[in-house]
Amino acid sequence: MSTRDVFIVVLGAAVLFSLASQGDTGSPKAQGAARAAPLDNPDGVRPGLAPLGSAGDRGAAVRLIKKLRVGSMGTKAGYSRARFGENWADTAKGVPYARNGCGTRNDLLARDGENVRYRRGSDCVVVSMKLRDPYTGRVVQWSKKNSDEIQVDHVVPLSYEWRMGASRWPMSKRMRIANDPLNLLPVYGDANEAKGGSGPASWLPPVRRVRCAYVVRFAQVALKYNLPVTRADKAVMLAQCR
């Protein structure tokens, strides 16, 4: 084979590899430490939660938050996790990673984790990884035997959604928001438990520099699902990005 022929074969292989690597959101790939800011990540398929630093980004964040509808918070009566479908179901329709054969929790660990290792014989079940928690700044060396040390947070909590109108949604819509990667962040477990079902007026990430990014992510989810927020929550959200 001539030098020219070798060059053509190598070039063709490179092109095919490039094409195969583009546009695949069916299954997340471990992406290391390259965390994305929410304005650059409208589908939630890129990892983490990078701060919004520039004046232009913060201005865009304020404009986004201003679009939110305000509503009154209803009762929690009738709420249970089961109202949003099976935990980490792979059967939701219309969201990234759905029906890819992996549970949603494992999809999110793979998306945000570094040094991800899978169970032997599986390309789905994450058994260990490193996480740079966006909420506390803590670096967590995690393994499945300490599973609660990393929890997958619903940015807009399910009980908050229920009280703001999701109680009247069809089950299919509740399943989507419960499994939508836009609404999901792996975080240090203690931070997730401290947050509970709170909106931004009652809880914000301890790391101040990520608070604008956090409320933008909260707003992105609420706008996608036409979910109102309380007046107090909207005021606090705007204040984080000004």
Side-chain angles (χ1 to χ4, degrees):
M1 183 180 290
S2 69
T3 302
R4 180 177 180 276
D5 290 337
V6 170
F7 174 78
I8 290 171
V9 169
V10 172
L11 179 61
V15 170
L16 287 172
F17 178 82
S18 176
L19 290 172
S21 301
Q22 293 175 12
D24 177 17
T25 60
S27 183
K29 308 294 190 293
Q31 300 185 55
R35 291 170 289 177
L39 293 172
D40 300 323
N41 189 21
D43 297 322
V45 297
R46 296 175 61 193
L49 190 67
L52 278 71
S54 74
D57 282 349
R58 295 175 80 86
V62 167
R63 290 192 295 274
L64 183 78
I65 294 165
K66 283 182 175 180
K67 295 178 183 178
L68 289 167
R69 292 192 297 118
V70 168
S72 299
M73 182 169 280
T75 177
K76 197 176 176 182
Y79 167 77
S80 72
R81 176 61 180 84
R83 298 285 190 175
F84 290 79
E86 179 185 354
N87 280 8
W88 311 127
D90 189 39
T91 53
K93 294 181 180 179
V95 294
Y97 312 148
R99 300 172 182 252
N100 66 358
C102 298
T104 306
R105 176 180 164 87
N106 282 306
D107 284 335
L108 274 295
L109 296 179
R111 185 196 68 186
D112 286 20
E114 300 175 48
N115 305 328
V116 173
R117 296 184 63 189
Y118 296 92
R119 178 185 294 168
R120 185 183 298 274
S122 172
D123 59 2
C124 236
V125 180
V126 178
V127 296
S128 68
M129 54 176 270
K130 178 171 78 174
L131 179 74
R132 300 176 189 273
D133 171 35
Y135 290 173
T136 65
R138 180 185 294 255
V139 176
V140 183
Q141 298 287 350
W142 176 85
S143 68
K144 198 169 178 64
K145 65 183 179 181
N146 298 314
S147 60
D148 283 350
E149 192 173 13
I150 290 178
Q151 299 176 17
V152 178
D153 177 42
H154 287 93
V155 176
V156 182
L158 301 184
S159 61
Y160 184 99
E161 296 161 12
W162 181 266
R163 298 178 70 183
M164 297 305 293
S167 60
R168 299 185 294 275
W169 292 356
M171 173 64 86
S172 59
K173 185 175 181 180
R174 291 200 293 265
M175 285 185 66
R176 286 199 302 274
I177 200 170
N179 293 280
D180 190 335
L182 183 66
N183 193 28
L184 297 169
L185 284 173
V187 299
Y188 182 51
D190 286 357
N192 187 45
E193 291 176 10
K195 171 182 170 178
S198 299
S202 301
W203 187 91
L204 289 166
V207 175
R208 289 182 176 273
R209 65 188 180 88
V210 83
R211 288 179 177 178
C212 178
Y214 172 78
V215 298
V216 168
R217 191 71 167 260
F218 198 104
Q220 287 174 317
V221 176
L223 289 167
K224 180 175 180 178
Y225 289 90
N226 194 27
L227 191 76
V229 300
T230 68
R231 189 172 302 279
D233 284 330
K234 186 171 181 177
V236 167
M237 292 166 77
L238 286 168
Q240 305 315 305
C241 297
R242 285 180 168 150

